[in-house]
Amino acid sequence: TMIVLANWFTQMQPGSIQGLVLITSEIGKTCAELKKRGLEISPIKSQPYSQEATFEDPDGNGWVVQQPA
């Protein structure tokens, strides 16, 4: 998996990307570590397909930390 940080795509303005998913096998530990590092992240929510928490980066892009069921 690769994330490219680019500023030459004018059709993808900062904050326009939503639903980027990061998979983890231990969501509790992952979220605790992210909070420890200063990230504001939502409480973990249980879904039928996963447990997940969400956050926004400084540009307003939406991210999901997910542990599949």
Side-chain angles (χ1 to χ4, degrees), residues 13-68:
Q13 296 299 312
S16 66
I17 307 296
Q18 300 299 313
L20 294 163
V21 179
L22 304 170
I23 300 294
T24 181
S25 60
E26 297 184 20
I27 195 165
K29 286 184 179 181
T30 300
C31 289
E33 181 63 27
L34 292 170
K35 286 180 188 179
K36 182 175 140 184
R37 294 178 182 211
L39 182 69
E40 291 186 30
I41 190 165
S42 75
I44 298 169
K45 296 175 185 149
S46 292
Q47 305 290 349
Y49 51 87
S50 70
Q51 290 186 321
E52 57 189 35
T54 59
F55 67 94
E56 289 187 351
D57 64 26
D59 288 324
N61 299 300
W63 294 80
V64 179
V65 178
Q66 185 180 76
Q67 179 179 330

